[in-house]
Amino acid sequence: MPRFTLATALVLFVLLGAARFGQWGASLTADESYTLNYAFQPVSSIRSAYDSTNNQVLFSLLLRFMDQASPKALLFSPAGVRPLQLPSILASIAALPLLFCVASRLFNRPIALLSVAFLGVSAWHLMYSHMLRAYSLSVFFCLLNIWMLQQALLEGRKRALLALPFGLAAANYLMPTNAYYCAALAPWAAFELYRSRRPRRPGGAADAHFPLLVGAAFLAGAALTVWLYRPILKDILLPPIDRLTWTDSLAATGARLENSLLILGAHRPFRWLVLACAALGAYYLWLSRKRGSGAGMLFLCTLSFPLIALTLQRMIAYPRISIPTLPIWAMLCAAGLYGALALLRLRRALPASAFRPVLLGALGAILLGLIYSGIPLG
């Protein structure tokens, strides 16, 4: 890796990682009280309690085990807030280098740096980075599943498929709606298998048995999810109490789409800049569709399939359900910004020698959005 890229990435990781400690130890919200109420119960009760979607089972179990392993009581203790917030903080920090790896393989390192910057200043990602809810871990595990599939499909590393079922089940066990985002990876995997009919390396994606292994990994993840949810599987499959009518659900599609589009930024000045970059990113993918068709298919599947599924399930358009799409929007915005700079360079409106300084300036401008968007850090 070039020194410039390595140095820039390290600076981003340190600055954006430190920003996630800005609200460490903050007072708990009413939403977090649901998590504590579930985590305070015995393990058997946590696994069998599903009176509402507020029981994010795997996260509640994690807090329960932390409380039991600690010499001092953490649940409902003022001194226990900071330790209990660490899983969310660490997951949000770990998502940054993981996104860099995913975007580097899909595009290139400059787009990967911009992707990290966009995700790092996301108001939603920052807000949930310290909260006792499963949203931060959902982003991490959904992104981890994409990385494992990349390793298997694009690098020919079959061993990644051994871990994939556990990654899929972990994401689903955090929140049932994450199953839509995990399922959306299946058509992308099928597309990559179709594109990789010629082997890139011995034992790679063109192996005659490789598609069967990929399908088996997805089926194993689904089976493991069903097994984990078996005490409350009927409750999950039953229509929710607040289920919308078909008319209201179709009417709420616009709200779901808006929540999905605006998930990166919570404040309007920063929000419309993000949307402009996302539109440029879609155009960049179209122009480079032969080289970047894999990325385009991944974005299409992960952004559209959950939206359709939530509409058919007639769920209320909660913005936080769209949280796993954050890395996708970050990469799309980064591709748009990079594509605009590359176009200026191609047309000689931007000298080649100025490309790197302008890229650094773009990174700085994104980081300034952290301040001007009004995100509280202290």
Side-chain angles (χ1 to χ4, degrees), residues 22 26 42 47 49 56 82 87 110 113 124 133 158 174 213 224 303 311 319 321 371:
R47 297 196 61 215
Q56 299 166 344
R82 286 178 178 268
L113 291 174
W124 289 92
R133 300 296 284 165
K158 294 182 181 179
L174 284 167
L213 295 176
L224 185 55
L303 293 178
T311 300
I321 295 178
I371 302 172

Side-chain angles (χ1 to χ4, degrees), residues 47-359:
R47 297 196 61 215
S48 60
Y50 197 76
D51 54 327
S52 69
T53 55
N54 284 309
N55 184 16
Q56 299 166 344
V57 184
L58 182 58
F59 192 71
S60 299
L61 289 173
L62 175 61
L63 298 188
R64 179 63 178 173
F65 292 146
M66 289 178 63
D67 180 67
Q68 291 179 336
S70 174
K72 297 182 180 180
L74 300 179
L75 298 174
F76 294 105
S77 170
V81 173
R82 286 178 178 268
L84 293 176
Q85 289 176 340
L86 279 176
S88 294
I89 293 176
L90 295 179
S92 67
I93 294 175
L96 300 176
L98 187 58
L99 176 60
F100 179 82
C101 295
V102 170
S104 295
R105 187 62 181 83
L106 284 176
F107 298 103
N108 53 43
R109 293 192 180 106
I111 290 181
L113 291 174
L114 292 170
S115 300
V116 171
F118 271 111
L119 180 64
V121 301
S122 165
W124 289 92
H125 201 240
L126 278 166
M127 179 176 66
Y128 287 121
S129 65
H130 70 279
M131 290 183 64
L132 301 182
R133 300 296 284 165
Y135 306 119
S136 180
L137 274 78
S138 294
V139 172
F140 172 77
F141 275 104
C142 289
L143 190 57
L144 180 64
N145 291 328
I146 295 176
W147 179 80
M148 287 190 287
L149 277 171
Q150 277 187 326
Q151 295 301 301
L153 298 172
L154 306 182
E155 303 294 338
R157 296 172 181 169
K158 294 182 181 179
R159 292 183 178 179
L161 295 177
L162 297 176
L164 181 61
F166 300 99
L168 294 171
N172 296 336
Y173 206 38
L174 284 167
M175 294 194 303
T177 51
N178 286 347
Y180 299 139
Y181 301 97
C182 293
L185 298 179
W188 171 62
F191 177 79
E192 288 292 353
L193 288 170
Y194 175 77
R195 288 207 312 159
S196 305
R197 286 173 293 177
R198 295 181 179 180
R200 290 190 172 100
R201 61 176 62 190
D207 189 337
H209 300 291
F210 194 77
L212 297 177
L213 295 176
V214 176
F218 274 99
L219 290 176
L224 185 55
T225 300
V226 172
W227 181 81
L228 289 171
Y229 272 127
R230 68 188 187 282
I232 53 176
L233 189 60
K234 292 182 179 179
D235 297 323
I236 293 177
L237 296 178
L238 286 175
I241 298 175
D242 53 356
R243 187 174 187 176
L244 301 174
T245 64
W246 280 111
T247 303
D248 292 338
S249 181
L250 292 175
T253 302
R256 294 189 190 94
L257 181 60
E258 181 183 10
N259 291 336
S260 181
L261 289 173
L262 305 181
I263 194 71
L264 271 176
H267 299 272
R268 293 192 179 277
F270 193 55
R271 176 183 297 177
W272 294 112
L273 174 63
V274 167
L275 290 181
C277 290
L280 288 173
Y283 183 61
Y284 175 80
L285 288 176
W286 173 256
L287 292 179
S288 57
R289 55 189 178 276
K290 290 185 178 180
R291 180 171 52 88
S293 56
M297 179 59 70
L298 173 63
F299 293 178
L300 178 64
C301 293
T302 53
L303 293 178
S304 63
F305 180 80
L307 182 67
I308 296 172
L310 290 172
T311 300
L312 295 178
Q313 194 183 359
R314 293 183 276 167
M315 288 191 65
I316 295 179
Y318 297 115
R320 56 184 179 271
I321 295 178
S322 302
I323 203 79
T325 63
L326 278 176
I328 303 299
W329 284 112
M331 288 188 284
L332 190 60
C333 293
L337 186 56
Y338 176 83
L341 295 176
L343 182 62
L344 291 175
R345 181 181 178 181
L346 182 65
R347 296 189 175 182
R348 297 182 180 180
L350 179 67
S353 59
F355 186 77
R356 183 175 291 182
V358 170
L359 181 62

